[in-house]
């Protein structure tokens, strides 16, 4: 296996990056920054890091930003950076969900590429408007469904594409967590607070926060589209305003069947995203918590354990691999792979080149699909559990 | 831990056992015989081992039965054994499903205890008639939901009963297999042939053969009743007449939610029965293929691995344990535990004693409940996936 | 895969078995009885179950023995049974180690086959005398190194024999337990008491009780002989008179190298026998606590998980398999496989037939080799850790 | 748990870093750069990246170095950078082993802190001279035994320090790999070539390359010193000039016993560093390939699975943790933790502050100890396997 030990080094000038959200005390903003930094593809030069001007300044200083580029509003940042000759080329949006759309529009309109956290938006209308604007501007718009950045997820997708599983019949995906088993949002846990607040999260609780990751992973690896679903969304913790447990039946366009479970009240579970795909010729299993492994069972043969960097892993995995087999990569590296793929796309765009056919990163279309999924699940559950269709991609 | 190394030894006279079905080439009949033999509680003295008289004789001879007690019909066996002073005290019924009811009636009417393989019957009416007759005769009627015989399943049930999980919220159960991913029933595989034949199996394929095990396990451990369900039953293998994949949403009486997946087309899966139960205070996980382990996660503490015979296992597990920790017990031992519990009950009945409150074995009522489950699942699926209620137990 | 669900059924008349030791409260005696009973090959008809005559009688009654055949000395038992036309054909010796030799001699001299627990004897002289007598009498003499009865151990040996690993280079074997981490022998724990008493166990503590199992397993699967070893035997628990931790370097005849660790003070370990074998063409791993699995890594390919009954398992495993893949077999079944192989040998001997070339069970020669191993380890350790040779087999 | 999502951000001015070695095609140099970059603590400003001047220039350009600071010799670099007011504050040495000493001396003499890959040097004399010079200059000298940077290794060490294991009795450590099972050094694999060349690696093959990691990990977590050892070093691959398999018995100062196995010919093993420690009160197990987990078995209780970021993990782990439980960190993050700890020390030194008592990173003394270990192992093995003492630390 050939490993490109540090992906961005030597690939040319770094991409100038800005960030909206992610000030002091934020979790996901810091993750985005490590992901951007990992391969030396980006340099963070501007930010509107907090809605609170003082905090925005302080956060900018902490991160070593030029004070003039630590903006106190994203509107100001888009306007100024859009005009600077050394302005940012891309912006990372890491605010709560309800702000994504307005921010993304502002930067798209300023001619700046967008990397937006998921879910893309809090309504299907918002999502559609972003799809339209992205299409119109021709800018790159990535949505950080980061789990699809894992090398062995890429490997799985490649194996499905190569027909190694035959026709897909069954797709089982689950994402259990236990951290919201008690109402910690009531005692000021910041991560819990916004995730359980419909005003900031939209209509989906567990289904939006983690169910969308599971959905995206299932469609990405199976290369199928869910055509309809039944959802039973439940709120177990008294006083909570959004679902904290979501159980769904899925039907795929080709006749395959699936189940999706997302929960925030599964005590003892940490971040248990797991995918299993079964076809006529073989079965696959991958679990996020030990992500360097991929189980593959060819029909009628002994199961194999394909390892990142190992004998059974091919070019799709190698493309996003930094270390040899047995040297585990994790969550940050997978997140970094999304940033690395986007960097390749931005560099290709700079040069007016064609997109790389082997590139894989979730786009605004994947983001919109996730929003459509949330909407369908909420609708099905409200209707007491009936089949609801999701339109297919454009 | 105190281990009763061989449970039946020294417990008094062996129980005289007969068997219907289980002749040459049968799988589950031999399993029942090992289970009966394991603890020296039973002695096999009579059989109607095959519907084919010559094969019945030959099978009897092979098993060392007195030729006079190798019957060529179960009717003859019930009649003769019911009259002998040294006649059988219990009969094991190990035929295909469609014969269970008539055979069981015959032996109940002859005053003989019944141990019947699952599912109990092929229709709810049959099941109800057996419940009635069993109640009327006062005889013991066990249904071999053998997976509930595993020590760590007993441990799990005891922990739920003791409140260690708090109020149950989520129950996830699955039973994937892959052996029927191709139409092996067409090439004469006997086990596949009758399981995919509605005339012998009833209206349920995967849902009846393995889904019922999953359902029984979920209700047994959670100590809850499923009140309603939605089922999506699918037949993936062309030409097959019964479902080979079953996916269900479950709602329990107390408001808990669940999912059940049973599949015979999950390539690479062997006998993957797995149960997870999550309550307000803790979570549990148990998997049949490594059955000596039970995961327990108390809320807010590190997960524990409770082992059969180990420090965290209590009397409910010890009661059905033969070997110390680290000396794995398996499928046959769990099956043997059902037989051992039934033997204790038969001995208590002999002596007119009261049933042991710590005894646990599935009865005709559990059998009937499994049949009701199959009926509800088939009904829901035929209706395109609507909620169907299952009545609660009597 | 063809499974012979109950191995002894239909194989002809049961073998009449006697037992020395194994009375009330014993552990391993009950294990031997379940193992003998499992496949219906044996019927227990006589015993000298305890050195205490009253307990011998009571134990016999409990097991349903004819009172006349519940002997109060093994000498009486050998004499009487050796003369009866319906006398025992084989005896199981399940006493503490120091008694094995005298008892075995008595039964060999009475023309009765022997199944003896391990280690065979407490000195090399004793072991050699038993080898000689067994050879002279031509009787079958099995030593219950039961772990070599596991199907996946048989599979491993067959794969080595077939050259799938190439030339063996490294053999790592370990057997950690933690149950003797405190001096429980001082508070009357019977199993602990005799195992830590040189008068009953011989010169080896952990090295004799479990180290011999590890040694036998390593030689059996690798098909190599250890030629020399260095041992560091340690007693960690104050007041204990035998080693409770044994660490060894091994050199094999072909130049392969190995390590062996046996411990009774490894807190948290239960019965952690594990073997790893590495050759020029592949590597193998097997662990007793989840014994239905065998890892096989062919050089330059993805690792495979071979399961008992599954696609990668061959005839050597199938021969000792009762249930299909995914239906776990355990410790008792493996023990039963030794009894089943001995039964086949006894039946072949009855008929004057040739031994089955596919038969594998540990004999008096393996027993003697285990004793030689203990002696060499004790010698090396006493000498402060120098290489000590073990002679090769005759 | 409080997570410092990006450790270096906001900690003040970045540290100016130089690198010797690590030019195009190198593996470990790129790893050091990612590790340095991850937390934004360092900025790479100078390098002597290759012994070949053209390659040094090209490599520097690729990494975005100022051409004037892409030196063609480390001597020039030390001289120039030592005089610049904005010269490097620290140098990372990532060349083959035989060059470490001369390079490190050069930078120490120029007043520059050193971060050196392991093993520190190719002889004990070299190692001692570096210890002396480091002591004399008072500069920071880290040796990248990176595996001790894993959070759960830090957790394990803290638990031993807190007495949760009681007195340590047994330490088992192993580091099997399989990548050198064939003579790939003969076909130009660069990583294999220098590792199997005594002129570049020193007297140890597997024992030096990976055995030292295992040794350091065992001493670090157990908080004990190995006092003597027996080694059996073997070369299995024909034509290879250094050992590719090392097996050792260890004795620790407090009477504890251990074993160490390091192999490059264990086919199927990838990077299988694993440590187990057993004391009077508990046992621990950690494995590098799934490094976010730590098994802890308190005597007489069920085993617990402590997860990075989870309920059982304390401040020692949290100090070096970036992401919440269930979001796996890996090899690069652990390597980054060494760099982060060194950064804290360098910043403290800048300010003349006292070293942080919770800081843990391997120093020149640990490096020297690793060299002493290699020397003792080689000596023991050459002597045919006798106990050789390692002096204790100063």
């Amino acid at each position: 296996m050939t490993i490109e030990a540090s992906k961005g080094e030597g690939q040319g000038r770094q991409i100038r990056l800005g960030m909206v959200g992610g000030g002091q005390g934020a979790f996901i903003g810091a993750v985005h920054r490590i992901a951007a930094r990992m391969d030396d593809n980006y340099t963070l030069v501007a930010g509107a890091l907090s809605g609170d001007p003082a905090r925005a300044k302080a956060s900018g200083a902490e991160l070593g930003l030029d004070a003039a580029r630590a903006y106190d509003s994203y509107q100001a940042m888009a306007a100024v950076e859009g005009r600077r000759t050394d302005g940012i080329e891309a912006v990372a949006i890491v605010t709560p969900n309800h702000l994504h759309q307005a921010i993304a529009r502002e930067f798209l309109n300023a001619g700046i590429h967008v990397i937006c956290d998921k879910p893309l938006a809090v309504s299907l209308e918002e999502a559609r408007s972003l799809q339209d604007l992205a299409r119109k501007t021709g800018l790159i718009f990535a949505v950080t469904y980061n789990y699809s950045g894992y090398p062995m997820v890429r490997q799985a997708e490649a194996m499905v594409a190569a027909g190694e599983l035959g026709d897909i019949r069954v797709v089982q995906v689950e994402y259990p967590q236990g951290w919201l088993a008690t109402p910690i949002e009531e005692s000021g846990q910041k991560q819990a607070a916004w995730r359980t607040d419909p005003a900031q999260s939209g209509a989906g609780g567990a289904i939006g926060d983690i169910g969308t990751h599971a959905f995206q992973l299932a469609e990405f690896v199976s290369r199928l589209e869910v055509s309809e679903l039944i959802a039973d969304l439940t709120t177990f913790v008294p006083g909570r305003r959004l679902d904290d447990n979501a159980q769904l039946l899925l039907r795929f366009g080709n006749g395959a069947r699936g189940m999706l479970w997302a929960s925030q009240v599964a005590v003892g579970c940490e971040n248990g995203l797991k995918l299993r795909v079964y076809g006529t010729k073989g079965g696959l299993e991958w679990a996020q918590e030990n992500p360097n492994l991929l189980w593959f069972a060819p029909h009628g043969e002994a199961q194999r354990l394909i390892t990142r960097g190992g004998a059974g892993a091919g070019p799709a995995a190698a493309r996003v691999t930094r270390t040899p087999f047995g040297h585990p990569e994790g969550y940050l590296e997978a997140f970094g792979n999304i940033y690395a793929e986007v960097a390749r796309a931005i560099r290709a765009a700079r040069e007016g080149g064609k997109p790389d056919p082997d590139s894989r990163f979730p786009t605004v279309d994947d983001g919109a699909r996730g929003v459509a999924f949330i909407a369908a699940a909420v609708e099905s559950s409200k209707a007491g559990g009936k089949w609801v269709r999701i339109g297919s991609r454009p």
Side-chain angles (χ1 to χ4, degrees), chain A:
Chain A
M1 190 194 53
T2 306
I3 294 165
E4 305 172 39
S6 196
K7 319 301 277 194
E9 300 184 331
Q11 302 292 312
R13 186 170 57 72
Q14 286 180 314
I15 295 161
R16 294 183 301 273
L17 181 70
M19 178 169 279
V20 181
Q24 292 167 327
F27 160 61
I28 204 67
V31 166
H32 278 252
R33 290 194 297 267
I34 298 178
R37 197 153 60 222
M38 183 168 286
D39 299 314
D40 221 18
N41 283 313
Y42 298 86
T43 178
L44 184 73
V45 294
L49 299 162
S50 173
D52 166 358
R55 201 143 163 263
K57 282 286 162 210
S59 300
E62 226 178 75
L63 295 175
L65 297 186
D66 179 344
R69 297 175 86 175
Y71 300 91
D72 50 19
S73 83
Y74 69 86
Q75 293 93 339
M77 174 169 158
V80 176
E81 292 291 329
R83 285 191 306 264
R84 286 179 74 124
T85 53
D86 66 345
I88 60 172
E89 299 165 271
V91 67
I93 304 174
V94 296
T95 63
N97 310 341
H98 66 302
L99 302 173
H100 290 175
Q101 190 237 16
I103 300 169
R105 293 191 67 81
E106 201 83 14
F107 285 88
L108 288 175
N109 284 326
I112 292 165
H113 302 299
V114 171
I115 300 168
C116 183
D117 213 276
K118 48 49 59 186
L120 175 62
V122 294
S123 75
L124 209 41
E125 294 63 40
E126 285 189 5
R128 295 268 152 77
S129 85
L130 288 174
Q131 281 181 294
D132 292 345
L133 187 58
R135 202 157 291 126
K136 211 170 61 183
T137 59
L139 291 162
I140 290 162
F141 195 126
V143 176
T144 49
Y145 283 119
N146 51 292
Y147 298 110
S148 59
Y150 274 111
M152 299 319 278
V153 169
R154 299 289 295 269
Q155 170 73 20
E157 191 257 357
M159 291 172 74
V160 171
E164 296 192 46
L165 272 75
D167 296 328
I168 305 302
R169 289 169 164 172
V170 180
V171 179
Q172 300 286 111
V173 66
E174 62 183 44
Y175 197 156
Q177 300 180 329
W179 69 297
L180 292 178
T182 55
I184 57 172
E185 64 268 35
E186 293 177 5
S187 45
Q189 214 273 12
K190 186 184 159 180
Q191 298 298 328
W194 78 259
R195 279 180 170 82
T196 57
D197 175 6
Q200 296 183 73
S201 273
I207 191 76
D209 189 36
I210 54 178
T212 43
H213 275 301
F215 174 80
Q216 191 268 341
L217 186 69
E219 286 201 343
F220 176 68
V221 172
S222 70
R223 302 171 59 91
L224 295 174
E225 288 193 351
V226 171
S227 54
E228 54 183 336
L229 57 78
I230 286 180
D232 196 14
L233 307 185
T234 315
T235 303
F236 280 111
V237 172
R240 186 163 289 161
R241 288 171 294 160
L242 290 171
D243 64 280
D244 49 27
N245 189 72
Q247 291 162 314
L248 292 88
L249 301 181
L250 309 176
R251 287 179 175 168
F252 292 84
N254 76 334
R257 292 295 195 271
M259 297 173 89
L260 185 153
W261 174 45
S263 186
Q264 295 164 327
V265 298
V267 175
C269 295
E270 299 195 333
N271 200 40
L273 178 60
K274 185 163 102 169
L275 176 69
R276 294 174 286 181
V277 181
Y278 303 96
T280 48
K281 293 171 58 183
L284 277 181
E285 177 171 338
W286 177 83
Q288 190 268 154
E289 294 189 359
N290 197 2
N292 297 281
L293 308 179
L294 178 67
W295 287 97
F296 173 52
H299 181 67
E301 297 180 32
Q303 236 179 119
R304 286 109 201 255
L305 183 57
I306 303 178
T307 58
R308 190 188 49 74
R319 175 182 175 94
V320 286
T321 283
R322 289 170 196 79
T323 56
F325 51 65
H327 298 68
E329 298 194 16
Y331 175 86
L332 294 170
E333 286 83 351
F335 220 111
N337 290 337
I338 303 290
Y339 267 84
E341 289 280 32
V342 172
R344 289 188 197 105
I346 291 176
R347 286 190 171 117
R350 268 185 195 164
E351 298 156 18
K354 281 196 298 190
D356 178 350
D358 295 329
S359 178
R360 297 277 185 286
F361 64 87
T363 66
V364 70
D365 294 333
D366 300 286
R369 193 146 177 85
V371 175
F373 164 75
I374 298 171
V378 170
E379 178 189 341
S380 171
S381 190
K382 279 200 176 140
K386 58 158 197 171
W387 288 107
V388 171
R389 298 194 62 80
I390 314 183
S392 60
R393 288 160 179 273

